[in-house]
Amino acid sequence: MNKTRLEAFSDGVLAIIITIMVLEIKVPHEVSFSALKPILPVFLSYVLSFIYVGIYWNNHHHMLHTVKQISGGILWANLHLLFWLSMIPFATAWIGENHFAPIPMMLYGIVLLLCALAYFILQYLILKKHGPDSVLSKAIGNDSKGKLSPVFYILGIIASNYNGLIAGAFYVLVAIMWLIPDKRIERILDHSE
């Protein structure tokens, strides 16, 4: 099967996810800077979630760039990933509206963990389809960031029982870790062409 429809559908869903998140930011009725203070937690939660969706979009794009064929399993795994990514706007709105309270931060961490696991499943099925000598397999290597991220999510989920902001620090740490440019796939593709 051709990957074009999978890419187009995924891009559309991710664009809608970002749109839904930004619509949660309500415009204040006053015209002073002090009127922005109450929506600061909503804005900060949006920024973090926008970064996460951007990271997934970027990595998804790079991963699919290595794909030659897709299977039914890959299609379902991709939908599974998109499902969990589509839960980010709900979790984002909840943490923003409740000023990073512990229970919403726990749910946010669970959603992030499930997104990471869904991405891992999609990556695994692509690797299984293309084999150990594939471009993606060579590019991923030991995937230390991919293995470390769920650990930090779990630590954040545990920390949310004590303090929502400490949990948030773990989630921000993972985002920073992934914001550092990852050139593995680009390097491998440049060498293979």
Side-chain angles (χ1 to χ4, degrees), residues 16-62:
I16 291 167
I17 288 169
I18 289 172
T19 303
I20 290 169
M21 286 189 314
V22 77
L23 291 175
E24 286 296 321
I25 303 174
K26 305 299 181 214
V27 177
H29 296 291
E30 297 95 36
V31 291
S32 65
F33 285 114
S34 63
L36 296 174
K37 187 177 179 186
I39 64 167
L40 186 60
V42 175
F43 178 74
L44 292 175
S45 65
Y46 167 76
V47 169
L48 180 61
S49 293
F50 182 91
I51 290 169
Y52 266 111
V53 173
I55 288 166
Y56 275 101
W57 176 80
N58 193 4
N59 288 328
H60 187 268
H61 169 76
H62 279 94

Side-chain angles (χ1 to χ4, degrees), residues 25-122:
I25 303 174
K26 305 299 181 214
V27 177
H29 296 291
E30 297 95 36
V31 291
S32 65
F33 285 114
S34 63
L36 296 174
K37 187 177 179 186
I39 64 167
L40 186 60
V42 175
F43 178 74
L44 292 175
S45 65
Y46 167 76
V47 169
L48 180 61
S49 293
F50 182 91
I51 290 169
Y52 266 111
V53 173
I55 288 166
Y56 275 101
W57 176 80
N58 193 4
N59 288 328
H60 187 268
H61 169 76
H62 279 94
M63 181 169 58
L64 288 182
H65 196 68
T66 70
V67 172
K68 303 293 182 219
Q69 296 176 333
I70 59 169
S71 64
I74 291 171
L75 287 174
W76 282 107
N78 192 69
L79 281 172
H80 179 235
L81 171 63
L82 293 175
F83 172 79
W84 289 113
L85 289 172
S86 73
M87 294 304 296
I88 289 177
F90 171 77
T92 301
W94 203 25
I95 64 174
E97 288 293 322
N98 293 288
H99 301 244
F100 308 104
I103 299 297
M105 288 302 283
M106 180 185 291
L107 177 72
Y108 189 75
I110 291 169
V111 169
L112 292 177
L113 177 63
L114 292 170
C115 287
L117 293 175
Y119 189 88
F120 174 79
I121 291 167
L122 175 60

Side-chain angles (χ1 to χ4, degrees), residues 4 25 30 103 118 126-127 130 152 165:
T4 308
I25 303 174
E30 297 95 36
I103 299 297
I126 291 171
L127 289 170
H130 290 81
F152 284 132
L165 293 177

